[in-house]
Amino acid sequence: MQALWMLAASLFFATMAVCVKIASQWFNASELVFWRGLIGMGIMALWARSRRTPLATRYPGMHAWRSLVGVLSLGAWFYSIAGLPLATSMTLNYMSSVWIAAFLVGGALVAWNPRSGMALPGRQGALALTVLAGFAGVVLMLRPTMEQHQVFAGLVGLLSGLLSAFAYLQVMALGKIGEPEIRTVFYFAAGSAAAGAVGMLAEGVSPWDWMHALWLLPMALLASLGQWCMTRAYSHGATLVVANLQYSGIVFGALYSLVLFDDRIPPAGWIGMALICASGIAATVLRARAMPDAPGEEH
């Protein structure tokens, strides 16, 4: 059942991305972040009430930092969804595991003293190869699959994966001090609504049309359903099978990209996607040994 919950979560997140891509025709990224956050706040508040989980926290600073990094990642991802094929944007956002592996390798290199005569642990070498494979996939995806005007959106999509890795590390820190995930997601939604409102002041507000606005509700609802399913998947411990099934989101995104948007991705782009997916799975396995019982990644 845990595996099925994770597959459902990945499907919901990928379907949310479809709603974002369609809604991005009429709303800018700040508006999408705002409405996702505002509606998500209401859903999380009801969820917390049903679980009798208080929303008051003793760690407002940690939640503020997690929300800031998470909102920047979310906004970057929404921007890339609007400007790239859906499969490409989904894959770049799922680079967070590879970025975390890069952080672990970098930390080991900083701490390593070559004068001590001790070699780097073998695990770091495996992580390094994982990171290199992941970035080789990025090169394959960014060069042949994009038109010139899409390059900036591709770099923003890559940035969303990097920021997602920072947000994930902060979620881990909040989990270690005992903060319930419902509370963490609620404050992230609140931060999204606040940041989106600020962005709307800078970017402006699009003309309102109820037919176009109908896409905003499923976008936020699917995000909340994805988070709920992911919580259920990890409720009995984070197994490697469950953790790696999150990459089924790339498969769902690719199917949506081909069927709904008629995107054309050359063979090198598919090879790059496969490399990123494989390196992400490998990084998750290696990371699980270094950081057991880690929480699930959000999208």
Side-chain angles (χ1 to χ4, degrees):
M1 284 302 296
Q2 287 175 269
L4 292 177
W5 283 120
M6 180 55 79
L7 285 172
S10 299
L11 177 60
F12 284 137
F13 284 132
T15 311
M16 178 206 73
V18 171
C19 295
V20 171
K21 189 165 186 67
I22 294 173
S24 66
Q25 301 174 74
W26 309 294
F27 300 97
N28 58 51
S30 294
E31 291 174 298
L32 294 174
V33 169
F34 170 77
W35 288 109
R36 184 195 187 279
L38 187 66
I39 299 172
M41 275 180 65
I43 295 172
M44 287 299 115
L46 292 174
W47 187 9
R49 185 174 181 179
S50 69
R51 299 285 297 273
R52 299 184 184 277
T53 302
L55 293 175
T57 179
R58 294 181 296 167
Y59 310 101
M62 293 183 68
H63 281 287
W65 175 244
R66 182 266 179 273
S67 295
L68 174 63
V69 179
V71 166
L72 290 174
S73 172
L74 185 67
W77 186 32
F78 282 6
Y79 181 90
S80 71
I81 287 175
L84 297 174
L86 185 64
T88 303
S89 178
M90 290 283 294
T91 306
L92 292 175
N93 184 256
Y94 274 82
M95 277 282 292
S96 55
S97 286
V98 179
W99 282 112
I100 292 172
F103 298 159
L104 291 174
V105 172
L109 289 174
V110 170
W112 178 49
N113 183 6
R115 295 181 180 179
S116 65
M118 295 180 63
L120 278 170
R123 186 183 301 163
Q124 304 304 327
L127 274 173
L129 289 176
T130 296
V131 173
L132 290 175
F135 283 105
V138 171
V139 171
L140 286 171
M141 286 194 69
L142 294 190
R143 290 183 66 86
T145 65
M146 292 188 181
E147 301 294 336
Q148 191 63 36
H149 67 277
Q150 293 179 317
V151 172
F152 180 72
L155 294 176
V156 173
L158 190 61
L159 178 64
S160 76
L162 172 61
L163 292 171
S164 181
F166 281 114
Y168 174 78
L169 294 175
Q170 190 64 17
V171 169
M172 282 188 60
L174 285 165
K176 287 181 178 179
I177 61 176
E179 283 290 86
E181 184 166 305
I182 296 177
R183 189 181 296 158
T184 301
V185 176
F186 172 81
Y187 282 110
F188 170 54
S192 299
V198 172
M200 287 162 64
L201 292 175
E203 289 190 79
V205 179
S206 304
W208 187 263
D209 185 304
W210 281 105
M211 294 302 296
H212 299 162
L214 287 176
W215 289 101
L216 300 174
L217 181 59
M219 174 190 70
L221 183 60
L222 288 165
S224 298
L225 284 172
Q227 192 61 53
W228 181 72
C229 289
M230 182 174 285
T231 302
R232 291 296 298 262
Y234 281 98
S235 61
H236 299 292
T239 66
L240 285 178
V241 173
V242 170
N244 283 321
L245 278 175
Q246 66 177 309
Y247 289 95
S248 62
I250 295 178
V251 178
F252 293 132
L255 291 174
Y256 281 140
S257 194
L258 293 173
V259 175
L260 297 181
F261 302 107
D262 197 29
D263 290 328
R264 292 290 177 261
I265 300 176
W270 289 109
I271 295 172
M273 288 175 60
L275 266 176
I276 291 173
C277 193
S279 63
I281 291 172
T284 301
V285 172
L286 294 169
R287 188 186 70 207
R289 299 175 184 174
M291 298 182 293
D293 300 323
E297 295 177 48
E298 301 170 9
H299 298 282

